[in-house]
C-alpha cells in the first residue's frame, strides 16, 4: 500500500547520485581524466587548449619578447661581470647560458605536452582504482553501497557492478534490494556532502585551466631572467605550474577516496556505540567532517609540490569562491533592481522633470538639490492650498449650521429644554413646558442666561 513512499524516497537518492555523476564528468573533463572530442579526435582538455592556434600565437609572441629580454639581460650580465671583481661568471659562461635559454624556449611546448600526457595516464589509473570497482562513475557505487543492508537473499555484495544493474531505474533497483530497508538517510547526507564539495571544486577546475594557459604563454618571459638570476624566476614558474596542474587531480581522487570512506562508515557491521542513536550521530559526524575537509585536499597536494604553495592556493580559491558568490547574488537580483530603478526613474521624471531625474542618476546637483520646486510640485502645492481652504470653509459652514440649529430648535417645538428656549426666541406658540432636556448642555446654559423675549417682542421682567 505504501510502496510509493519508498519509490519516492529512492527517487530523491538516485537524483542526487545522477547529479554527482554529471558534475564529476564535468570535473574529469576539465582535469583531463575523461577525453573530449575535437574535430572527431579524442584528446584531453588541456592538450586542446595548448594546441589552439590562437593560444599558440600568444606563446610565439611571448617567445619574441623573451628573446629580446634575454639579449638585454645578457648585455647587462656581461657589463656586470666585467665591472665587478666578485662576479664569478665570465662572458663565455654567459653566452652558454643564453644559448641554453634560447633552446629551452623551443622545448617548452613539447615538455608540457609530454608532462600532461603521462600525468593523465597515471591519474586515470589511480582514478579508476578509487571508484570502488564501478565502471562508469561514482553514482553506481554509491547506490550499491547504501543498499548493502537491504540486499535480497542470494544477491552478492558487488551487485552494483553487474552490467544489468541500473541505479537510475527504480524497478531495476527493486530486483536487487528491498527499498523499505534502503539507507535513505545516510545516502542523502553523504550525497549532499559530495555535491557541495564538487560544486565548490568546479570553480577551481576552471581557474586551473585558465591559469595553466597563462603560465604556458608567460613561460618564455619567466625563463628569460635565467641569465641574471640563475633561474630563480623560472623555478617560481615551475612550482606554480605543478601546483595548478596537480591540485585538480588531487581533488578528483580525493572525492573518490571520500566516497570509499563513506561506504565503509555507513556499513551496518561497523558499531561505534551500542546505542543506535549515538552510533548514527558518530557516523554523521565523520561524514560531515570529511565533507568540510574536502576543500583542504587542494592545500595538501599543493604543499607536497612546494612548501606553502598549497595553502596559498587554498586561500586564493576561497577568495575567488566568495567573489563568485557575490557575482551570482548580484546577477540573481539584477533584474529586480533594474525594474525597480526604471520604475523609480519614471516616477522621478514625472515629479521633478526628466532633466532633474537624469542629473540625479549621474550624480550631478540639480535644482532639486537646492530645494527648488518643479512646475508639477508648484501645481501640487497650489492644489493642496485650494483643497485646504475648501476644507476649512466646509468646517465653518457646518459649525454655523450647528449653532443656528441649536438656537432655533426643532420645528415641532418638542424635545426638552433646548427646544423650549428656541421656541421662545423664535416666537413659536407651541411651547412644551414639560420638556426638561439636558440641563448640563452648554448651549442650554447660555440660553437660560439670555433675556428671553415674550410674544410682543418686549423684554421679560
Amino acid at each position: 500500500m505504501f510502496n510509493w513512499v519508498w519509490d519516492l524516497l529512492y527517487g530523491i537518492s538516485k537524483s542526487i547520485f545522477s547529479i554527482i555523476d554529471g558534475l564529476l564528468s564535468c570535473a574529469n573533463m576539465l582535469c583531463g581524466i575523461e577525453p573530449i572530442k575535437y574535430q572527431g579526435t579524442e584528446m584531453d582538455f588541456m592538450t586542446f587548449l595548448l594546441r589552439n592556434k590562437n593560444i599558440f600565437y600568444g606563446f610565439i609572441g611571448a617567445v619574441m619578447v623573451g628573446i629580446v629580454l634575454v639579449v638585454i639581460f645578457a648585455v647587462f650580465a656581461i657589463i656586470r661581470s666585467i665591472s665587478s671583481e666578485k662576479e664569478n661568471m665570465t662572458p663565455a659562461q654567459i653566452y652558454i647560458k643564453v644559448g641554453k635559454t634560447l633552446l629551452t624556449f623551443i622545448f617548452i611546448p613539447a615538455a608540457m605536452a609530454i608532462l600532461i600526457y603521462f600525468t593523465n595516464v597515471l591519474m586515470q589509473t589511480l582514478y579508476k582504482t578509487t571508484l570502488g570497482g564501478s565502471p562508469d562513475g561514482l553514482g553506481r557505487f554509491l547506490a550499491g553501497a547504501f543498499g548493502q543492508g537491504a540486499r535480497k537473499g542470494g544477491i552478492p555484495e558487488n551487485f552494483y557492478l553487474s552490467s544489468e544493474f541500473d541505479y537510475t531505474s527504480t524497478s531495476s533497483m527493486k530486483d536487487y534490494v528491498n527499498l523499505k530497508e534502503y539507507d535513505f538517510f545516510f545516502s542523502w547526507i553523504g550525497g549532499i556532502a559530495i555535491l557541495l564539495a564538487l560544486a565548490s571544486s568546479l570553480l577551481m577546475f576552471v581557474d586551473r585551466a585558465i591559469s595553466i594557459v597563462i603560465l604556458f604563454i608567460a613561460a618564455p618571459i619567466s625563463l628569460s631572467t635565467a641569465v641574471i638570476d640563475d633561474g630563480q624566476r623560472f623555478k617560481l614558474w615551475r612550482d606554480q605550474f605543478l601546483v595548478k596542474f596537480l591540485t585538480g587531480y588531487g581533488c578528483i581522487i580525493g572525492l573518490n577516496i571520500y566516497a570509499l570512506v563513506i561506504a565503509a562508515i555507513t556499513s551496518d557491521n561497523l558499531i561505534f556505540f551500542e546505542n543506535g542513536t549515538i552510533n548514527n550521530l558518530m557516523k554523521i559526524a565523520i561524514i560531515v567532517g570529511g565533507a568540510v575537509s574536502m576543500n583542504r585536499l587542494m592545500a595538501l597536494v599543493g604543499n607536497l609540490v612546494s612548501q606553502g604553495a598549497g595553502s596559498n592556493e587554498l586561500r586564493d580559491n576561497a577568495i575567488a569562491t566568495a567573489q563568485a558568490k557575490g557575482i551570482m547574488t548580484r546577477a540573481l537580483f539584477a533584474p529586480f533592481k533594474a525594474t525597480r530603478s526604471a520604475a523609480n526613474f519614471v516616477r522621478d521624471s514625472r515629479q521633478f522633470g526628466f532633466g532633474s531625474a537624469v542629473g540625479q542618476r549621474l550624480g550631478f546637483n540639480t535644482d532639486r538639490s537646492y530645494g527648488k520646486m518643479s512646475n508639477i510640485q508648484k501645481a501640487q502645492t497650489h492644489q493642496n492650498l485650494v483643497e485646504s481652504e475648501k476644507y476649512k470653509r466646509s468646517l465653518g459652514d457646518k459649525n454655523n449650521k450647528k449653532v443656528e440649529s441649536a438656537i432655533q430648535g426643532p420645528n415641532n417645538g418638542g424635545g426638552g429644554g433646548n427646544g423650549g428656549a428656541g421656541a421662545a426666541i423664535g416666537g413659536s406658540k407651541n411651547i412644551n413646558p414639560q420638556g426638561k432636556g439636558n440641563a448640563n448642555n452648554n448651549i442650554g446654559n447660555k440660553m437660560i442666561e439670555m433675556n428671553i423675549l415674550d410674544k410682543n417682542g418686549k423684554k421679560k421682567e
Side-chain angles (χ1 to χ4, degrees), residues 70 96-106 223-227:
V70 166
I96 294 174
K97 184 170 290 189
V98 169
K100 291 180 178 179
T101 302
L102 295 177
L103 288 176
T104 307
F105 286 167
I106 302 174
L223 184 61
S224 63
T225 61
V227 178

Side-chain angles (χ1 to χ4, degrees), residues 3 33 66 102 124 165 175 204 222 334 365 369:
N3 289 335
I33 294 177
L102 295 177
Q124 286 173 5
F165 174 74
D175 295 337
M204 185 203 68
S222 297
N365 289 333
S369 305

Side-chain angles (χ1 to χ4, degrees), residues 10 20 88 146 156 165 185 244 247 265 302 384 387-388 437 442:
Y10 181 71
I20 289 174
N88 295 326
F146 292 115
F165 174 74
F185 181 69
K244 288 289 185 181
T247 50
I265 290 297
N384 290 337
E387 295 293 336
S388 178
N442 291 333

Side-chain angles (χ1 to χ4, degrees), residues 134-148:
S134 177
D136 55 1
L138 194 59
R140 175 193 288 261
F141 168 73
L142 292 174
F146 292 115
Q148 290 296 318

Side-chain angles (χ1 to χ4, degrees), residues 11 15 18 94 104 108 110 112 116 119 155 176 214-215 222 248 273 325 328 340 351 379 388 418 440 442:
S15 297
S18 298
I94 294 175
T104 307
I108 286 178
M112 292 184 67
I116 291 173
T119 306
I155 300 299
Y176 297 91
I214 293 175
L215 290 172
S222 297
F273 300 96
K325 289 180 179 179
M328 292 178 64
R340 183 185 62 186
Q351 185 71 13
S388 178
N418 290 344
N440 294 327
N442 291 333

Side-chain angles (χ1 to χ4, degrees), residues 357-379:
V358 172
Q360 289 288 333
R361 292 298 189 279
L362 297 177
F364 295 104
N365 289 333
T366 60
D367 292 340
R368 176 187 173 188
S369 305
Y370 302 104
K372 184 177 179 180
M373 293 190 297
S374 63
N375 294 332
I376 296 177
Q377 289 178 297
K378 291 178 181 179

Side-chain angles (χ1 to χ4, degrees), residues 29 48 51 144 159 236 271 279 293-294 316 343 346 408 419 426:
M29 285 188 176
F48 162 73
R51 288 182 180 179
F159 67 92
L236 293 176
I271 299 175
N279 189 59
S293 64
M294 288 300 296
D316 294 341
V346 172
Q408 292 180 356

